[in-house]
């Protein structure tokens, strides 16, 4: 997808020792700065699972667990 166009993009990534089936799919949401959004989620009752970390040329990710127990990924380029 090109920047500025509407729609959803995605990727499949295999995690070492990751579970299969059941609750094994992790959805990532794009944001301006994943550290900022992770902090917002934590302050709203969610839990920070993995602080902002670099994924090289692909930007940064953070992982949170929402108030219902769902793990969610956040992705940003900065």
């Amino acid at each position: 997808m090109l920047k500025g166009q509407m729609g959803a993009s995605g990727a499949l990534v295999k995690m070492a020792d990751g579970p299969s089936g059941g609750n094994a799919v992790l959805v990532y949401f794009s944001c301006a700065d994943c550290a900022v959004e992770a902090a917002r989620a934590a302050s709203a009752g969610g839990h920070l699972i993995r602080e902002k970390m670099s994924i090289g040329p692909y930007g940064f990710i953070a992982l949170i667990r929402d108030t219902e127990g769902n793990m969610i990924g956040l992705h940003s380029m900065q």
Side-chain angles (χ1 to χ4, degrees):
M1 179 169 54
L2 298 174
K3 187 174 183 176
Q5 290 186 341
M6 296 188 66
S9 62
L12 295 175
V13 179
K14 178 160 178 57
M15 293 177 56
D17 302 319
S20 61
N23 217 8
V25 174
L26 183 59
V27 175
Y28 282 83
F29 292 95
S30 293
C31 49
D33 184 342
C34 60
V36 171
E37 298 305 325
R40 286 183 63 202
S43 70
H47 299 282
L48 180 61
I49 302 299
R50 176 81 183 213
E51 290 185 10
K52 182 179 179 177
M53 65 177 240
S54 173
I55 54 172
Y58 306 106
F60 299 88
I61 62 168
L63 299 176
I64 60 166
R65 192 170 304 278
D66 70 13
T67 56
E68 283 127 26
N70 302 298
M71 180 111 60
I72 300 167
L74 302 170
H75 174 262
S76 63
M77 291 305 295
Q78 66 174 22

